C-alpha cells in the first residue's frame, strides 16, 4: 500500500521545517484531509532517507501549527481545521422540502396542546402566578428542586435539593459546572468526538479542551491516565451512557477506572445524561459512584420542549455554593415559570401517556433505521435519538454531508464534533427523531442508502 510521501529536498529550509510545510501544503490542496493517518516516523524516515529524529521534529512542528495531532499508541493524524463552535452556532431552520436529520429533538411536539393548557392553569391561579413572578432562590424554588429529586430517583439518581440547581437547560448546566470547576487558561478533557456545546462553553471561558481517544465504551482510561501524567487537567466532560455523537456506552468497570484516575489526579467529572431519557435500563451513574467528584446534568429539552430551557445540575457538595454564585451573577435564577410549566405538565397523566407514545415511536424509528441501513456500519443504543454511521471507503464524511445536503437531507459529519485537534473519522451522525413523521424519516434514510449504494464514483459520472 502506498502512503503519503512529501518531497523535502531543495526547499532551502531545515528538513523538519520543510516536512511541516509539506504537510500544510498537502492539507491546503486537499491531498491530506482531517482524520488521515500520517506514515509512522520510521517509515517516512526510510522513504525520505532522513533520520527518525528529523521526522519527529517535523511532525512536532506540524502539531505546533495545529495541523496534526499525535495520539499515544495510535499514530499521527491530520487534525480538524474547523473553527471550534462553528456548527453549534448553525441552528438554521430547515427549508420546507428538506429532511433535517441533523438535530436531536423531541419527536414532533404533540405535547404543545397540553403545555398550552398548563399555561392557562397557571395564569388562572393568582397566588401561584404572583409567586412565580417574584425573585427566588438562585438554585430555584425548593418545591421545584424537590420535584427534580423525585423525577431523577427512578432514573437511579440519588440527589437532594441541597446539591441540585435548576438551570436554563443542559447547556447552562455545562457552563455552570465549568465555571465552578475551572479558571480561564485551564485545560479540560472530553471524548475526542463530543457534543459541540461543550466546545462553545470552553472557548467562551478561555479553556483548552483536549479530545481523548475513545472506543465503543467512550474514553479510554489509559489515554486519560497518560494525559493526566503529563498535564494538569481540571475536569473531564463525559456523555457516558448514550454518547453524543458516537452512541458509545460505558460499562461499570470502565466507569470505575475513570473515577479512580479522576480522584487520583484531582479531576472533576462532568456527567452529561441529557440523551438518556428513553434508555431501557438505568446506567450506573458517575454521580452515584463518586458524588464528591461529579457534576450531573439532565434537562427536559428532549422530552418536553427545548424552548422552555429547563435543566438540572447536581454539583459536588464542595462546589454547590460556587454554582449558586455563578447563577446569581448571570441571571439570579432560571425563570421559575418555565420550571412550573414543565413540571406541572409532566405530572399529568396525559404527559405520561405521551412520553410512552414518544418512546415507542422512537423505538419504531430505530427499527426502521436498522432495516434501511442494514449491512452498513451503524451504532445505535436502544433509546438513542441518533445513529452513528461509519462510511464505507472511499467516502469522506464532509463530502457525504455535502452530497446529502444537495439531495435535501441534512446530517452532520464527525468533523462537527471533533474536540480540539482530534482527528475526525469518516462517519456521520443521523438524528432520527427530528422529522415529524416516520414517513419523512424513511424517505431521508432511503436517500442516504441510495447514495451509499450508488457509490463514490456516481457523483462524478455526470461530467
Ligand atoms: C449531550 C448534550 N448535552 C447538552 C445538550 C443541551 O441540552 P439543552 O437543550 O437542555 O440545553 C444537548 C442537546 O442536544 C446534548 O445532546
Amino acid at each position: 500500500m502506498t502512503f503519503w510521501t512529501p518531497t523535502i529536498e531543495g526547499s532551502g529550509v531545515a528538513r523538519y521545517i520543510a516536512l511541516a510545510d509539506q504537510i500544510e501544503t498537502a492539507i491546503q490542496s486537499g491531498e491530506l484531509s482531517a482524520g488521515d493517518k500520517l506514515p509512522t516516523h520510521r517509515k517516512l524516515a526510510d522513504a525520505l532517507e532522513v533520520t527518525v529524529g528529523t521526522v519527529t521534529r517535523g511532525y512536532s512542528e506540524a502539531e505546533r501549527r495545529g495541523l496534526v495531532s499525535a495520539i499515544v499508541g495510535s499514530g499521527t493524524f491530520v487534525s480538524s481545521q474547523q473553527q471550534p463552535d462553528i456548527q453549534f452556532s448553525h441552528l438554521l431552520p430547515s427549508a420546507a422540502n428538506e429532511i433535517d436529520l441533523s438535530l436531536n429533538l423531541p419527536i414532533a411536539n404533540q405535547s404543545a396542546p397540553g403545555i398550552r393548557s398548563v399555561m392557562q392553569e397557571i395564569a388562572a391561579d393568582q397566588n401561584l402566578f404572583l409567586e412565580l413572578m417574584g425573585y427566588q432562590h438562585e438554585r430555584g424554588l425548593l418545591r421545584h428542586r424537590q420535584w427534580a429529586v423525585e423525577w431523577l430517583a427512578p432514573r437511579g439518581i440519588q440527589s437532594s435539593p441541597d446539591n441540585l440547581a435548576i438551570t436554563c437547560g443542559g447547556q447552562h448546566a455545562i457552563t455552570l459546572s465549568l465555571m465552578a470547576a475551572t479558571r480561564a487558561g485551564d485545560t479540560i478533557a472530553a471524548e475526542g468526538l463530543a457534543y459541540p456545546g461543550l466546545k462553545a462553553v470552553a472557548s467562551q471561558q478561555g479553556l483548552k479542551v483536549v479530545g481523548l481517544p475513545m472506543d465503543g465504551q467512550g474514553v479510554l482510561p489509559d489515554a486519560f491516565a497518560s494525559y493526566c501524567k503529563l498535564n494538569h487537567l481540571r475536569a473531564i466532560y463525559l456523555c457516558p451512557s448514550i454518547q453524543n455523537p458516537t452512541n458509545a456506552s460505558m460499562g461499570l468497570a470502565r466507569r470505575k477506572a475513570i473515577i479512580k484516575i479522576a480522584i487520583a489526579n484531582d479531576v472533576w467529572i462532568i456527567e452529561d445524561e441529557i440523551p438518556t431519557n428513553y434508555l431501557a435500563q438505568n446506567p450506573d451513574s458517575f454521580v452515584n459512584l463518586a458524588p464528591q467528584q461529579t457534576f450531573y446534568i439532565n434537562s427536559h429539552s428532549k422530552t418536553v420542549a427545548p424552548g422552555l430551557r429547563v435543566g438540572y445540575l447536581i454539583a459536588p457538595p464542595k462546589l454547590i455554593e460556587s454554582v449558586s454564585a455563578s447563577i446569581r451573577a448571570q441571571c439570579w435564577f432560571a425563570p421559575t415559570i418555565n420550571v412550573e410549566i414543565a413540571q406541572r405538565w409532566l405530572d399529568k397523566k396525559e404527559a405520561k401517556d405521551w412520553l410512552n407514545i414518544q418512546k415507542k415511536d422512537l423505538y419504531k424509528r430505530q427499527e426502521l433505521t436498522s432495516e434501511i441501513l442494514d449491512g452498513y456500519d451503524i451504532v445505535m443504543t436502544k433509546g438513542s435519538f441518533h445513529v452513528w454511521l461509519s462510511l464505507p471507503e472511499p467516502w469522506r464524511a464532509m463530502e457525504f454531508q455535502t452530497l446529502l445536503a444537495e439531495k435535501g437531507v441534512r446530517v452532520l459529519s464527525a468533523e462537527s464534533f471533533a474536540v480540539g485537534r482530534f482527528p475526525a473519522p469518516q462517519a456521520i451522525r443521523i438524528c432520527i427523531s427530528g422529522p415529524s413523521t416516520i414517513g419523512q424519516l424513511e424517505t431521508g434514510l432511503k436517500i442516504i442508502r441510495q447514495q451509499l449504494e450508488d457509490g463514490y464514483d456516481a457523483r462524478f459520472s455526470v461530467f
Side-chain angles (χ1 to χ4, degrees), residues 30 68 78 84 86 95 97-98 114 122 147 167 175 184 186 192 195 224 227 229 239 260 296 310 321 328 381 431:
V68 300
V78 176
I86 200 151
N97 55 356
E98 192 178 45
I122 295 170
W147 187 99
T167 65
T175 306
D186 284 347
Y195 163 64
F224 178 33
Y227 200 85
K229 249 187 218 153
C239 192
K260 201 167 164 199
Y296 170 93
V310 178
E321 282 314 319
R328 207 162 44 232
T381 312
C431 297

Side-chain angles (χ1 to χ4, degrees), residues 219-353:
V219 161
L220 298 173
D222 285 353
F224 178 33
S226 308
Y227 200 85
C228 287
K229 249 187 218 153
L230 301 173
N231 306 274
H232 186 208
L233 281 180
R234 285 280 177 198
I236 181 164
Y237 165 90
L238 300 168
C239 192
S241 303
I242 299 189
Q243 210 265 340
N244 186 3
T246 65
N247 273 334
S249 158
M250 200 181 274
L252 181 59
R254 174 75 62 94
R255 287 171 195 244
K256 287 185 172 165
I258 297 278
I259 288 170
K260 201 167 164 199
I261 300 163
I263 291 176
N265 293 282
D266 211 6
V267 179
W268 299 104
I269 298 167
I270 301 172
E271 177 179 32
D272 183 341
E273 288 288 67
I274 283 176
T276 59
N277 286 305
Y278 292 125
L279 253 185
Q281 242 189 328
N282 286 331
D284 295 293
S285 266
F286 278 91
V287 74
N288 290 347
L289 295 166
Q292 307 296 322
Q293 202 74 19
T294 308
F295 292 87
Y296 170 93
I297 294 168
N298 212 322
S299 85
H300 294 314
S301 292
K302 306 297 171 196
T303 42
V304 182
L308 284 176
R309 311 306 307 135
V310 178
Y312 304 116
L313 172 64
I314 301 172
K318 215 168 142 186
L319 292 183
I320 189 70
E321 282 314 319
S322 172
V323 167
S324 299
S326 293
I327 299 176
R328 207 162 44 232
Q330 290 170 12
C331 57
W332 274 111
F333 56 92
T336 327
I337 193 158
N338 293 13
V339 189
E340 183 72 23
I341 294 168
Q343 295 188 349
R344 250 173 198 260
W345 154 243
L346 285 166
D347 274 343
K348 307 250 176 228
K349 177 171 180 310
E350 183 193 344
K352 293 185 177 76
D353 293 345

Side-chain angles (χ1 to χ4, degrees), residues 113-277:
I115 293 177
R116 274 206 301 269
S117 80
V118 163
M119 285 167 147
Q120 282 159 356
E121 221 176 274
I122 295 170
D125 183 333
Q126 199 174 335
N127 288 340
L128 171 66
F129 191 74
L130 285 178
E131 181 196 25
L132 298 174
M133 290 298 108
Y135 278 109
Q136 309 293 350
H137 188 282
E138 304 85 335
R139 289 187 278 111
L141 276 175
L142 180 60
R143 66 180 166 82
H144 285 165
R145 280 181 279 143
Q146 257 153 355
W147 187 99
V149 167
E150 281 161 34
W151 180 74
L152 289 167
R155 288 166 173 71
I157 304 300
Q158 298 144 23
S159 60
S160 109
D162 298 335
N163 67 351
L164 183 140
I166 292 170
T167 65
C168 303
Q171 181 65 26
H172 185 213
I174 298 174
T175 306
L176 291 169
S177 343
L178 287 173
M179 285 185 86
T182 66
R183 293 288 165 270
D186 284 347
T187 303
I188 62 164
E191 294 114 345
L193 300 170
Y195 163 64
L198 171 77
K199 298 188 274 179
V201 181
S203 80
Q204 288 297 314
Q205 292 186 194
L207 302 171
K208 183 180 168 204
V209 197
V210 176
L212 297 177
M214 328 160 53
D215 63 8
Q217 288 200 53
V219 161
L220 298 173
D222 285 353
F224 178 33
S226 308
Y227 200 85
C228 287
K229 249 187 218 153
L230 301 173
N231 306 274
H232 186 208
L233 281 180
R234 285 280 177 198
I236 181 164
Y237 165 90
L238 300 168
C239 192
S241 303
I242 299 189
Q243 210 265 340
N244 186 3
T246 65
N247 273 334
S249 158
M250 200 181 274
L252 181 59
R254 174 75 62 94
R255 287 171 195 244
K256 287 185 172 165
I258 297 278
I259 288 170
K260 201 167 164 199
I261 300 163
I263 291 176
N265 293 282
D266 211 6
V267 179
W268 299 104
I269 298 167
I270 301 172
E271 177 179 32
D272 183 341
E273 288 288 67
I274 283 176
T276 59
N277 286 305

Side-chain angles (χ1 to χ4, degrees), residues 348-364:
K348 307 250 176 228
K349 177 171 180 310
E350 183 193 344
K352 293 185 177 76
D353 293 345
W354 164 240
L355 291 179
N356 271 332
I357 293 170
Q358 228 188 14
K359 186 171 173 171
K360 281 192 193 137
D361 191 345
L362 183 62
Y363 289 174
K364 223 192 266 169

